[in-house]
Coordinates of all heavy atoms in Angstrom, one line a residue:
M1 N -6.0 -19.5 1.2 CA -5.9 -20.3 -0.1 C -7.3 -20.2 -0.8 O -8.3 -20.5 -0.2 CB -5.6 -21.7 0.3 CG -5.4 -22.6 -0.9 SD -4.7 -24.2 -0.4 CE -6.1 -25.0 0.3
A2 N -7.2 -19.8 -2.0 CA -8.4 -19.6 -2.8 C -8.7 -20.9 -3.6 O -7.9 -21.4 -4.3 CB -8.3 -18.4 -3.7
T3 N -9.9 -21.4 -3.4 CA -10.3 -22.6 -4.1 C -11.4 -22.1 -5.1 O -12.3 -21.4 -4.7 CB -10.9 -23.7 -3.2 OG1 -9.9 -24.0 -2.3 CG2 -11.2 -24.9 -4.0
V4 N -11.2 -22.5 -6.3 CA -12.3 -22.1 -7.3 C -13.5 -23.0 -7.1 O -13.4 -24.2 -7.2 CB -11.7 -22.2 -8.7 CG1 -12.8 -21.9 -9.7 CG2 -10.5 -21.3 -8.9
T5 N -14.6 -22.4 -6.9 CA -15.8 -23.2 -6.7 C -16.9 -22.9 -7.7 O -17.8 -23.6 -7.8 CB -16.4 -23.0 -5.3 OG1 -16.7 -21.6 -5.2 CG2 -15.5 -23.4 -4.2
Q6 N -16.6 -21.9 -8.5 CA -17.6 -21.5 -9.5 C -16.9 -21.3 -10.9 O -15.7 -20.8 -10.9 CB -18.3 -20.2 -9.1 CG -19.2 -20.4 -7.9 CD -20.1 -19.2 -7.7 OE1 -19.6 -18.1 -7.7 NE2 -21.3 -19.5 -7.5
M7 N -17.6 -21.7 -11.9 CA -17.0 -21.5 -13.2 C -18.1 -21.1 -14.2 O -19.3 -21.4 -13.9 CB -16.5 -22.9 -13.7 CG -15.1 -23.3 -13.1 SD -14.5 -24.8 -13.9 CE -14.2 -24.2 -15.6
K8 N -17.7 -20.5 -15.3 CA -18.7 -20.3 -16.3 C -19.1 -21.6 -16.9 O -18.3 -22.5 -17.1 CB -18.1 -19.3 -17.4 CG -19.2 -18.9 -18.4 CD -18.5 -18.3 -19.6 CE -19.3 -18.3 -20.8 NZ -19.6 -19.7 -21.3
C9 N -20.4 -21.7 -17.3 CA -20.8 -22.9 -17.9 C -20.0 -23.1 -19.2 O -19.7 -22.2 -19.9 CB -22.3 -22.8 -18.3 SG -23.0 -24.1 -19.3
A10 N -19.6 -24.4 -19.5 CA -18.8 -24.7 -20.6 C -19.5 -24.5 -21.9 O -18.9 -24.5 -23.0 CB -18.2 -26.1 -20.5
C11 N -20.8 -24.4 -21.9 CA -21.6 -24.2 -23.1 C -21.2 -22.8 -23.6 O -21.3 -21.8 -22.9 CB -23.1 -24.3 -22.8 SG -24.1 -23.8 -24.1
E12 N -20.8 -22.7 -24.9 CA -20.2 -21.5 -25.4 C -21.1 -20.3 -25.3 O -20.7 -19.2 -24.8 CB -19.8 -21.8 -26.9 CG -18.8 -20.8 -27.5 CD -17.6 -20.6 -26.6 OE1 -16.8 -21.5 -26.3 OE2 -17.4 -19.4 -26.3
P13 N -22.3 -20.3 -25.7 CA -23.2 -19.1 -25.7 C -23.8 -18.9 -24.3 O -24.5 -17.9 -24.1 CB -24.2 -19.3 -26.7 CG -24.4 -20.8 -26.8 CD -23.0 -21.4 -26.4
C14 N -23.6 -19.8 -23.4 CA -24.2 -19.7 -22.1 C -23.5 -18.8 -21.2 O -22.2 -18.9 -21.1 CB -24.3 -21.1 -21.5 SG -25.2 -21.3 -20.0
L15 N -24.2 -18.0 -20.5 CA -23.6 -17.0 -19.6 C -23.6 -17.4 -18.2 O -23.1 -16.6 -17.3 CB -24.3 -15.6 -19.8 CG -24.3 -15.1 -21.2 CD1 -25.2 -13.8 -21.2 CD2 -22.9 -14.8 -21.7
C16 N -24.1 -18.5 -17.9 CA -24.3 -18.9 -16.5 C -23.0 -19.2 -15.8 O -22.1 -19.8 -16.3 CB -25.2 -20.1 -16.4 SG -26.9 -19.8 -17.1
I17 N -23.0 -18.9 -14.5 CA -21.9 -19.2 -13.6 C -22.4 -20.4 -12.8 O -23.5 -20.3 -12.2 CB -21.5 -18.1 -12.7 CG1 -21.1 -16.9 -13.5 CG2 -20.4 -18.5 -11.8 CD1 -19.9 -17.1 -14.4
V18 N -21.7 -21.5 -12.9 CA -22.2 -22.7 -12.1 C -21.3 -23.0 -11.0 O -20.1 -22.8 -11.0 CB -22.2 -23.9 -13.1 CG1 -23.3 -23.7 -14.1 CG2 -20.9 -24.2 -13.8
D19 N -21.9 -23.5 -9.9 CA -21.2 -23.9 -8.8 C -20.7 -25.4 -9.1 O -21.5 -26.2 -9.4 CB -22.2 -23.9 -7.6 CG -21.5 -24.1 -6.3 OD1 -20.5 -24.8 -6.2 OD2 -21.9 -23.4 -5.3
I20 N -19.4 -25.5 -9.0 CA -18.9 -26.8 -9.3 C -19.5 -28.0 -8.6 O -19.7 -29.1 -9.1 CB -17.3 -26.8 -9.1 CG1 -16.7 -25.9 -10.3 CG2 -16.7 -28.2 -9.2 CD1 -15.2 -25.7 -10.1
S21 N -19.8 -27.8 -7.4 CA -20.4 -28.9 -6.6 C -21.8 -29.2 -7.1 O -22.3 -30.3 -6.8 CB -20.5 -28.5 -5.1 OG -21.3 -27.4 -4.9
K22 N -22.5 -28.3 -7.8 CA -23.8 -28.6 -8.3 C -23.8 -28.8 -9.8 O -24.9 -29.2 -10.4 CB -24.7 -27.4 -7.9 CG -24.9 -27.3 -6.5 CD -25.7 -26.0 -6.2 CE -25.7 -25.7 -4.7 NZ -25.9 -24.2 -4.5
A23 N -22.8 -28.4 -10.5 CA -22.8 -28.4 -11.9 C -22.9 -29.8 -12.5 O -22.6 -30.8 -11.8 CB -21.5 -27.8 -12.5
I24 N -23.3 -29.9 -13.7 CA -23.3 -31.2 -14.4 C -22.0 -31.3 -15.1 O -21.6 -30.5 -15.9 CB -24.5 -31.2 -15.5 CG1 -25.8 -31.2 -14.7 CG2 -24.4 -32.5 -16.3 CD1 -27.0 -31.0 -15.5
Q25 N -21.3 -32.4 -14.7 CA -19.9 -32.5 -15.2 C -19.9 -33.5 -16.4 O -20.5 -34.6 -16.3 CB -19.0 -33.0 -14.1 CG -17.6 -32.8 -14.4 CD -16.7 -33.3 -13.2 OE1 -17.2 -33.5 -12.1 NE2 -15.4 -33.5 -13.5
K26 N -19.3 -33.1 -17.4 CA -19.2 -34.0 -18.6 C -17.8 -33.7 -19.3 O -17.5 -32.6 -19.6 CB -20.3 -33.7 -19.5 CG -20.5 -34.7 -20.6 CD -21.6 -34.4 -21.6 CE -21.7 -35.4 -22.7 NZ -22.7 -35.0 -23.7
D27 N -17.1 -34.8 -19.6 CA -15.8 -34.6 -20.2 C -14.9 -33.6 -19.6 O -14.2 -32.9 -20.2 CB -16.0 -34.3 -21.7 CG -16.8 -35.4 -22.5 OD1 -16.7 -36.5 -22.1 OD2 -17.5 -35.0 -23.4
G28 N -15.0 -33.6 -18.3 CA -14.1 -32.7 -17.5 C -14.5 -31.2 -17.6 O -13.7 -30.3 -17.1
Q29 N -15.7 -31.0 -18.1 CA -16.2 -29.6 -18.1 C -17.4 -29.5 -17.3 O -18.1 -30.5 -17.1 CB -16.4 -29.2 -19.6 CG -15.1 -29.2 -20.4 CD -15.2 -28.4 -21.7 OE1 -15.8 -28.8 -22.6 NE2 -14.6 -27.2 -21.6
Y30 N -17.8 -28.3 -17.0 CA -18.9 -28.1 -16.1 C -20.0 -27.3 -16.8 O -19.8 -26.3 -17.5 CB -18.5 -27.3 -14.9 CG -17.5 -28.1 -14.0 CD1 -16.1 -27.9 -14.2 CD2 -18.0 -29.0 -13.1 CE1 -15.2 -28.7 -13.5 CE2 -17.0 -29.8 -12.3 CZ -15.7 -29.6 -12.5 OH -14.8 -30.3 -11.8
Y31 N -21.2 -27.8 -16.7 CA -22.4 -27.2 -17.3 C -23.5 -26.9 -16.4 O -23.6 -27.5 -15.3 CB -22.9 -28.1 -18.4 CG -21.9 -28.5 -19.5 CD1 -21.1 -29.5 -19.4 CD2 -21.9 -27.7 -20.7 CE1 -20.2 -29.9 -20.4 CE2 -21.0 -28.1 -21.7 CZ -20.1 -29.1 -21.5 OH -19.3 -29.4 -22.5
C32 N -24.3 -25.9 -16.7 CA -25.3 -25.4 -15.8 C -26.6 -26.3 -15.9 O -27.4 -26.3 -15.0 CB -25.7 -24.0 -16.1 SG -26.5 -23.7 -17.7
S33 N -26.7 -27.1 -17.0 CA -27.9 -27.9 -17.2 C -27.7 -29.0 -18.1 O -26.7 -29.1 -18.8 CB -29.0 -27.0 -17.8 OG -28.6 -26.6 -19.1
E34 N -28.6 -30.0 -18.0 CA -28.5 -31.2 -18.9 C -28.4 -30.8 -20.4 O -27.7 -31.3 -21.2 CB -29.7 -32.1 -18.7 CG -29.7 -32.8 -17.3 CD -28.7 -33.9 -17.2 OE1 -28.0 -34.2 -18.2 OE2 -28.6 -34.5 -16.2
G35 N -29.3 -29.8 -20.7 CA -29.3 -29.3 -22.1 C -28.0 -28.9 -22.6 O -27.5 -29.2 -23.6
C36 N -27.3 -28.1 -21.8 CA -26.0 -27.6 -22.1 C -25.0 -28.8 -22.2 O -24.2 -28.8 -23.1 CB -25.5 -26.6 -21.1 SG -26.4 -25.0 -21.1
A37 N -25.1 -29.7 -21.2 CA -24.1 -30.8 -21.2 C -24.2 -31.7 -22.4 O -23.3 -32.3 -22.8 CB -24.3 -31.6 -19.9
S38 N -25.4 -31.7 -22.9 CA -25.7 -32.6 -24.1 C -25.5 -31.8 -25.4 O -25.8 -32.3 -26.5 CB -27.1 -33.2 -24.1 OG -28.0 -32.2 -24.2
G39 N -25.0 -30.6 -25.3 CA -24.7 -29.9 -26.5 C -25.9 -29.3 -27.2 O -25.9 -29.0 -28.4
H40 N -27.0 -29.2 -26.5 CA -28.3 -28.7 -27.0 C -28.7 -29.5 -28.3 O -28.9 -29.0 -29.3 CB -28.2 -27.2 -27.3 CG -27.9 -26.4 -26.1 ND1 -28.9 -26.3 -25.1 CD2 -26.8 -25.8 -25.7 CE1 -28.4 -25.5 -24.1 NE2 -27.1 -25.2 -24.4
G41 N -28.8 -30.8 -28.1 CA -29.3 -31.7 -29.1 C -30.8 -31.5 -29.4 O -31.4 -30.6 -28.9
D42 N -31.2 -32.4 -30.2 CA -32.6 -32.4 -30.7 C -33.7 -31.8 -29.9 O -34.3 -30.8 -30.3 CB -33.0 -33.9 -31.0 CG -32.3 -34.4 -32.2 OD1 -31.7 -33.6 -33.0 OD2 -32.2 -35.7 -32.3
N43 N -34.0 -32.4 -28.8 CA -35.1 -31.8 -28.0 C -34.6 -31.0 -26.8 O -35.3 -31.0 -25.8 CB -36.1 -32.9 -27.6 CG -35.4 -34.0 -27.0 OD1 -34.3 -33.9 -26.5 ND2 -36.1 -35.2 -26.9
S44 N -33.4 -30.5 -26.8 CA -33.0 -29.7 -25.7 C -33.2 -28.2 -25.9 O -33.0 -27.7 -27.0 CB -31.5 -30.0 -25.3 OG -30.7 -29.0 -25.8
K45 N -33.7 -27.6 -24.9 CA -33.9 -26.2 -24.9 C -32.8 -25.5 -24.3 O -31.8 -26.2 -23.8 CB -35.2 -25.9 -24.2 CG -36.4 -26.5 -24.9 CD -37.7 -26.2 -24.1 CE -38.9 -26.9 -24.8 NZ -40.1 -26.8 -24.0
G46 N -32.9 -24.2 -24.2 CA -31.9 -23.5 -23.4 C -31.9 -23.9 -21.9 O -32.8 -24.7 -21.5
C47 N -31.0 -23.5 -21.2 CA -30.9 -24.0 -19.8 C -32.1 -23.4 -19.0 O -32.4 -23.9 -17.9 CB -29.6 -23.5 -19.2 SG -29.4 -21.8 -19.1
G48 N -32.7 -22.3 -19.5 CA -33.9 -21.7 -18.9 C -33.5 -20.8 -17.8 O -34.4 -20.2 -17.1
H49 N -32.3 -20.5 -17.6 CA -31.9 -19.5 -16.6 C -32.1 -18.1 -17.0 O -32.0 -17.8 -18.2 CB -30.4 -19.7 -16.2 CG -30.1 -21.0 -15.6 ND1 -29.1 -21.8 -15.9 CD2 -30.8 -21.7 -14.6 CE1 -29.1 -22.9 -15.2 NE2 -30.1 -22.9 -14.4
T50 N -32.5 -17.3 -16.1 CA -32.8 -15.9 -16.4 C -31.7 -15.2 -17.1 O -30.6 -15.3 -16.6 CB -33.2 -15.2 -15.1 OG1 -34.2 -15.9 -14.4 CG2 -33.7 -13.7 -15.4
G51 N -31.9 -14.6 -18.2 CA -30.9 -13.8 -18.9 C -30.0 -14.7 -19.8 O -29.2 -14.1 -20.5
C52 N -30.2 -16.0 -19.8 CA -29.4 -16.8 -20.6 C -30.1 -17.2 -21.9 O -31.2 -17.8 -21.8 CB -29.0 -18.1 -19.9 SG -27.9 -19.1 -20.8
N53 N -29.6 -17.0 -23.0 CA -30.2 -17.3 -24.3 C -29.6 -18.5 -25.0 O -29.9 -18.7 -26.2 CB -30.2 -16.1 -25.2 CG -31.1 -15.0 -24.7 OD1 -32.2 -15.2 -24.3 ND2 -30.6 -13.7 -24.8
C54 N -28.9 -19.2 -24.3 CA -28.3 -20.4 -25.0 C -29.3 -21.4 -25.4 O -30.4 -21.5 -24.8 CB -27.2 -21.0 -24.1 SG -27.9 -22.1 -22.8
H55 N -29.1 -22.1 -26.5 CA -30.0 -23.2 -26.9 C -29.3 -23.9 -28.0 O -28.3 -23.5 -28.5 CB -31.3 -22.6 -27.4 CG -31.2 -21.5 -28.4 ND1 -30.9 -21.8 -29.7 CD2 -31.3 -20.2 -28.3 CE1 -30.9 -20.7 -30.4 NE2 -31.1 -19.7 -29.6
Ligands
ZN101 ZN1 -27.2 -21.3 -19.0
ZN102 ZN1 -26.2 -23.9 -22.9

């Protein structure tokens, strides 16, 4: 039985794959970082993960 434990970050331009057990969950979606979870508001930067240019 395969259980999904990883998902792509729900942040649209974000390429990160997040582990559901560690992801930041918001509105039923999973994000790789607080910045992504908050929709990259005012003072949020990209998630800072290597190779990810989201912001
Ligand atoms: Zn990311
Ligand atoms: Zn993001």
Side-chain angles (χ1 to χ4, degrees):
M1 186 168 72
T3 305
V4 178
T5 57
Q6 295 189 310
M7 283 185 67
K8 185 191 158 296
C9 175
C11 174
E12 202 46 63
C14 188
L15 302 174
C16 298
I17 301 298
V18 293
D19 195 322
I20 286 174
S21 64
K22 296 173 191 157
I24 294 171
Q25 197 178 345
K26 189 181 178 190
D27 297 332
Q29 299 200 282
Y30 297 91
Y31 297 88
C32 68
S33 67
E34 291 282 359
C36 292
S38 65
H40 298 291
D42 292 339
N43 52 16
S44 102
K45 297 176 181 172
C47 64
H49 296 134
T50 307
C52 182
N53 287 318
C54 78
H55 55 74

